Amino acid sequence: MNTNNVMNPNDAPVAKWAEVFVIRGNSRYSMLMCKDFEGTANISTKDVPRMGSVIMGKKPTTVELSFKMTIYKCTEIFDDIIDEFIKTGVMPTLTIQTSNEDPATSMGRSTKIYNDCVLDGDVLLSLTGSEDDYIEQEISGFASSYTRPEKYKNPSYM
């Protein structure tokens, strides 16, 4: 068996080396209270019936960019967005930057910047209780575009 054709286990990036920033207006917030972040691209397809084939074709037609993150509620920047939306009728947009650079990997750093993000779903305004649980909230929404200023390089064994 050729061991050069096996993935190096150190190249499985660990998510805890990531960092998340939220930019609103001229303010850039380091989201150190973020437990997890997930940015996704949902690809929609349409059926393409084809003569001469019993197999249905598929054609990609649109992409939806979404995000969700779970944070400890030790900031009210998202409450401020809700206040502004209620007062003005205009939902403020955000820019979200994520980066990951696990020092054990050979791939380097990956950065994604999600642009013109709008919130969607629930924003926890307050929570009380008699238990010792941490107050967490999930923030989710959609982005109009994204960029990749830094990309992982492919490992040498690929």
Side-chain angles (χ1 to χ4, degrees), residues 35 46 71 73 80 96 126 129 139 148 153:
K35 282 183 50 178
K46 294 276 186 183
I71 64 170
K73 184 148 177 84
D80 293 342
I96 301 173
S126 59
I139 301 294
R148 301 184 309 156
K153 62 182 181 196

Side-chain angles (χ1 to χ4, degrees), residues 5 14 42 52 63 67 153:
N5 293 330
V14 176
N42 182 305
V63 175
F67 68 89
K153 62 182 181 196

Side-chain angles (χ1 to χ4, degrees), residues 89-143:
V90 177
M91 173 65 75
T93 61
L94 306 166
T95 300
I96 301 173
Q97 176 184 328
T98 64
S99 297
N100 193 345
E101 185 174 20
D102 182 341
T105 71
S106 67
M107 291 103 59
R109 183 177 175 93
S110 174
T111 297
K112 307 278 190 306
I113 299 174
Y114 301 90
N115 302 296
D116 296 321
C117 298
V118 293
L119 300 182
D120 182 57
D122 295 335
V123 172
L124 178 66
L125 299 176
S126 59
L127 177 68
T128 63
S130 60
E131 301 294 323
D132 288 336
D133 294 334
Y134 300 111
I135 300 175
E136 298 178 0
Q137 74 179 116
E138 185 172 288
I139 301 294
S140 60
F142 298 97

Side-chain angles (χ1 to χ4, degrees), residues 16-75:
K16 66 175 53 185
W17 290 106
E19 44 186 6
V20 178
F21 297 92
V22 170
I23 299 107
R24 180 169 181 238
N26 294 325
S27 299
R28 185 172 190 255
Y29 303 97
S30 179
M31 301 300 287
L32 296 175
M33 74 291 290
C34 185
K35 282 183 50 178
D36 56 57
F37 180 92
E38 182 178 303
T40 57
N42 182 305
I43 302 161
S44 297
T45 59
K46 294 276 186 183
D47 290 347
V48 181
R50 300 177 295 166
M51 289 184 74
S53 178
V54 296
I55 300 171
M56 180 65 70
K58 295 287 185 179
K59 181 176 183 176
T61 56
T62 59
V63 175
E64 179 180 81
L65 302 173
S66 63
F67 68 89
K68 65 180 176 180
M69 65 178 140
T70 304
I71 64 170
Y72 297 110
K73 184 148 177 84
C74 55
T75 180

